[in-house]
Amino acid sequence: MPGRVNLIGEHIDYHGLDVLPMALERRVRVRFTPRQDTRIHAVSHNGYGRRAFEWTGGLDRAAEGDWENYLRAAAVTVGARWGLGRGIDAEVDSDLPAAAGLSSSSALYAGFVLALLEANGLQASFEELMEVLPPGEQFVGTRGGGMDHAAVLGAVGGAALRVSFAPVTARAVAVPRDWAFLVAHSLTTAQKSGGAREEYNARRQAGHEALKRLGLPSYKEAREADAGRLDSDLERESFLHVVTERERVEQAVAAMQAGEAETFGALLTASHASLRDRLKVSCAALDGLAEAAAEAGALGARLTGAGFGGCVVALCRRTERAAVRERLKAGFYLGKAEFDEQRHLIDAEPGAGALASLGAIE
Ligand code: GLA
């Protein structure tokens, strides 16, 4: 199950607006054997230990921030839609950094959902999975949208995925061959099933309240000028982020189709500014890294994922990416003892989602 990097369209999927992620070649691997009973056993090869529980109706959350929450969420999701079944013995191995905004959590969760389905002889389409996975992962307490599940399941190799909601569609947008993305870690992390959860939910709530106050049916009908009618700074700024990010996604898709790298890069940088100044989901490390990437020769850079830590995605000309990497090492990362190049600087190539080979998407 691959991770994903969101290229643009941040904090708008849960408002039903289009986003443009791509799957990574790094992944969470779930190897499993079906059990004869209803227990779920999992061992992590990344140092998170062993977990075991009984797959019954009415499972509760485990301790805050514990990876078992994603396993329980998968069991609850499958149980509610397809019924309880036999459990699995699973081994989990990942080369995706955790809590980095690269969807290691959704990859783990979706990987377990598919494992439980397969162990019970069940199959599900992209559309069926997209109905139950986004609400199902909210079991962990973060009220996320459907972008991550769409990307990790439905992405197409060599392409970004334009994901639309209500109804869910996933359309591949080819990444020009001379473009290359670099994902760089800010060395600060954001725990989605822990501390960042309340912050994330508060952003969603503020955007929702703004829409309600304006009496608009959805963000598709919202106009920038409507912001003038909002008195609360929090609601106005959240609203403006969402509406302007919606436009940036449209422009970014057009720029990618036309191969206009400078335009796409400028949109990434503008998205970062909006996330920093309006939605306030950035932090000093992410701001510093996005700036360092631009100084290092990237055409644009922005925080990716929920924010509050994690990674920046930067667009480079393919011929320039290695030089940008070296300049970041000599600049931003210099003297930072926790820096580990293999984990923290990723050449992101657009990979395929878990269902791609099944032809599950249009
Ligand atoms: C998290 C959520 C996604 C999306 C992003 C922000 O990754 O899981 O649904 O909301 O944050 O764009």
Side-chain angles (χ1 to χ4, degrees), residues 4 6 9-14 144-148 192 200 305-306:
R4 65 100 186 91
N6 186 20
E10 212 66 89
H11 281 273
I12 63 170
D13 63 340
Y14 50 72
M147 165 170 71
D148 306 347
K192 209 162 79 174
Y200 179 95

Side-chain angles (χ1 to χ4, degrees), residues 90-172:
E91 292 183 37
V92 184
D93 201 354
S94 169
D95 59 359
L96 267 172
L102 302 179
S103 268
S104 63
S105 51
S106 294
L108 173 65
Y109 163 69
F112 259 77
V113 167
L114 294 193
L116 290 173
L117 288 175
E118 205 179 316
N120 287 284
L122 296 162
Q123 274 176 355
S125 67
F126 178 73
E127 289 75 14
E128 282 175 301
L129 291 166
M130 283 304 294
E131 256 172 53
V132 294
L133 265 62
E137 194 179 328
Q138 294 188 9
F139 175 87
V140 306
T142 306
R143 296 181 55 227
M147 165 170 71
D148 306 347
H149 316 93
V152 305
L153 293 168
V156 175
L161 200 68
R162 179 177 186 155
V163 183
S164 308
F165 300 96
V168 170
T169 60
R171 280 162 290 167

